Amino acid sequence: LTHMLHKDAQCVHMAFHHTSGDVGKSNRSTVGLMITRTQIDSILPGGPAQGSDISKGDVIIAVDHQVATSENVSALLVGNDDPGVVVILTMKNAAGMEMDVHITRMATEKIADRRRV
């Protein structure tokens, strides 16, 4: 597992990846969110979170029913890093309303392809 953290924000959609059993083949996935601690900074255009009920400024309070903290949120979002896996994010919006949002991890290569169009 390789990871990189940007200066102040955790770039979840690109920061974490591992290589699958096929040599040279990347098996990275994303939920399409950029966060600082547990707060949403932005939603990646073309990513799986785009079009969901998640907004900039919302706070992730749990991932797959596990409490999210500044220390563990990146690991929880990455999970097994397999595209196609559904992630349940429990979010709190600016009004204090909590909601569960289901997002399917997408291969990072697919997002890159969508952004080129």
Side-chain angles (χ1 to χ4, degrees):
L1 178 68
T2 304
H3 67 23
M4 295 174 11
L5 293 180
H6 293 256
K7 191 170 188 177
D8 291 319
Q10 298 169 343
C11 183
V12 174
H13 73 277
M14 294 180 65
F16 295 84
H17 68 276
H18 69 273
T19 304
S20 68
D22 296 333
V23 176
K25 182 179 179 188
S26 176
N27 189 26
R28 296 180 294 165
S29 68
T30 180
V31 294
L33 298 171
M34 290 187 70
I35 62 172
T36 298
R37 296 173 194 79
T38 58
Q39 187 172 32
I40 306 301
D41 284 334
S42 64
I43 299 168
L44 184 66
Q50 185 180 27
S52 71
D53 291 332
I54 297 173
S55 299
K56 180 178 179 178
D58 288 354
V59 175
I60 301 169
I61 57 177
V63 179
D64 291 332
H65 308 292
Q66 296 182 50
V67 174
T69 66
S70 296
E71 292 77 29
N72 73 358
V73 68
S74 292
L76 292 174
L77 288 171
V78 171
N80 61 7
D81 204 22
D82 287 333
V85 174
V86 175
V87 180
I88 303 169
L89 301 180
T90 304
M91 308 295 299
K92 184 181 281 189
N93 65 18
M97 185 177 130
E98 290 185 15
M99 62 186 160
D100 283 344
V101 179
H102 296 220
I103 297 177
T104 303
R105 287 187 179 102
M106 178 186 290
T108 55
E109 293 82 10
K110 284 188 180 181
I111 290 177
D113 289 344
R114 285 183 178 185
R115 294 182 80 186
R116 285 186 203 123
V117 175

